[in-house]
Amino acid sequence: MNRRLAGALIIVLTVVGVAATSPAIGDRLAGTPIAVRFPGPPTIGECLLADDIEDARSTIRANPPVARFGPCGPTGRGEVVAVRATTPTERSARSDSPADCRGAALSYAGLQSRDDSYVAPGAPQDDSIDWTYSIAVRTHWVPQVPSLPSASTWIACVANPEGTVTGSGRLANAFDGGALPGDFGTCWQSDDVGAGMDMVNCNEPHLAELIAMGRKAGDPPMERQQILSSCTGQAGVALRRGDPTAGGTLAVAISPDRSSTNRRPLSLTCFITSADHRRIVGSVVGIGAGQVRFAS
């Protein structure tokens, strides 16, 4: 038998075999459908453990993969700061905006919404400067079924530090009885504010940490000392201690370091620095009566 004939015979036998083992058209396959049970919503304060399809598939063997949450630990991928019920009808009428998720993270950290700003609990309401607080956080909405958002009945807002995580700590109530983890602080390697600031994780040795950003209307003008006094009051609230200088080891600073005029509004930065140029380790927000840590 030549090679060409042998090849043709193999093809015929293969086709016949497939036809013999395949069900006839119209035949029904025996079996019982099984409903897929999707998990209920997480609890605020839990952490995301698996958020992408491949990780979820390899971790929980679900089909389709679902978001998985649980107690926070070293492998956590961010804290749940808000949970929202959602339906296809609601999704067609509105979108879950990033701003809503970020606002939920700021509130979860203990900041309070005031007009268009977020302020620390206890911040004066009659301050001549409009101060606003923030944290170095990135947020995103996680649907119940990441691969099938339209099938999800809830979504969770998850918060993570902006940069690389170098320490531990919870974001919950950081400004309202807790302490801000260094990963969520805004710190830099300078005792001033400028375009060339070297931003670093607050768990790394640094010279300054942001307290708040402010805006002073042009009229009436304010003397430099009045602006500094306002910043000092904010720092005392943020650090939760009557003396935000911690006995003179820290210094409260403003930028620009000058008086305001009635010609135009003034944008301000209120921040904490080391009084003797030693490098601070960790965030000072919420430190209370604790000791400030300095690099050795």
Side-chain angles (χ1 to χ4, degrees):
M1 184 182 294
N2 61 41
R3 292 183 178 179
R4 182 173 299 177
L5 181 57
L9 183 58
I10 291 172
I11 292 174
V12 172
L13 291 174
T14 301
V15 172
V16 172
V18 171
T21 58
S22 298
I25 296 175
D27 286 354
R28 296 183 178 180
L29 298 177
T32 302
I34 299 175
V36 177
R37 290 181 177 272
F38 293 151
T43 301
I44 293 176
E46 287 188 315
C47 279
L48 178 65
L49 304 180
D51 59 344
D52 60 76
I53 294 175
E54 289 303 320
D55 186 30
R57 182 175 291 132
S58 63
T59 303
I60 59 178
R61 307 293 181 186
N63 188 21
V66 295
R68 188 166 65 94
F69 300 85
C72 295
T75 60
R77 302 193 177 179
E79 292 178 61
V80 177
V81 300
V83 178
R84 175 182 294 171
T86 181
T87 67
T89 302
E90 289 174 339
R91 279 191 294 275
S92 64
R94 61 158 174 78
S95 63
D96 299 299
S97 72
D100 289 344
C101 191
R102 181 177 177 81
L106 297 178
S107 297
Y108 177 78
L111 294 174
Q112 298 176 348
S113 177
R114 183 185 297 175
D115 299 327
D116 294 329
S117 303
Y118 282 86
V119 300
Q125 298 194 26
D126 57 352
D127 202 312
S128 299
I129 300 173
D130 293 325
W131 296 104
T132 185
Y133 288 69
S134 187
I135 50 179
V137 65
R138 54 184 175 86
T139 58
H140 64 287
W141 291 103
V142 176
Q144 179 185 26
V145 189
S147 60
L148 296 172
S150 61
S152 301
T153 60
W154 54 261
I155 53 176
C157 174
V158 175
N160 285 284
E162 276 281 8
T164 303
V165 177
T166 63
S168 60
R170 302 294 302 280
L171 181 60
N173 299 316
F175 287 87
D176 192 15
L180 185 68
D183 292 324
F184 291 98
T186 301
C187 297
W188 59 91
Q189 298 288 26
S190 171
D191 55 7
D192 202 351
V193 175
M197 292 190 312
D198 181 14
M199 308 297 294
V200 296
N201 186 300
C202 290
N203 287 326
E204 301 295 331
H206 57 273
L207 289 174
E209 180 177 3
L210 175 69
I211 296 298
M213 303 295 296
R215 182 173 176 82
K216 170 66 180 72
D219 190 33
M222 288 181 69
E223 295 294 329
R224 171 195 172 277
Q225 189 55 45
Q226 291 177 296
I227 298 174
L228 182 60
S229 176
S230 175
C231 172
T232 300
Q234 297 294 326
V237 169
L239 273 66
R240 288 204 306 276
R241 62 188 305 158
D243 173 21
T245 70
T249 60
L250 300 175
V252 179
I254 54 173
S255 180
D257 190 5
R258 61 176 175 81
S259 302
S260 73
T261 68
N262 58 4
R263 289 178 294 179
R264 58 179 181 271
L266 179 65
S267 295
L268 294 157
T269 303
C270 175
F271 59 105
I272 287 285
T273 68
S274 167
D276 55 7
H277 299 285
R278 286 185 294 169
R279 297 187 186 276
I280 306 165
V281 178
S283 173
V284 295
V285 172
I287 192 173
Q291 294 292 318
V292 179
R293 291 191 297 141
F294 292 98
S296 55

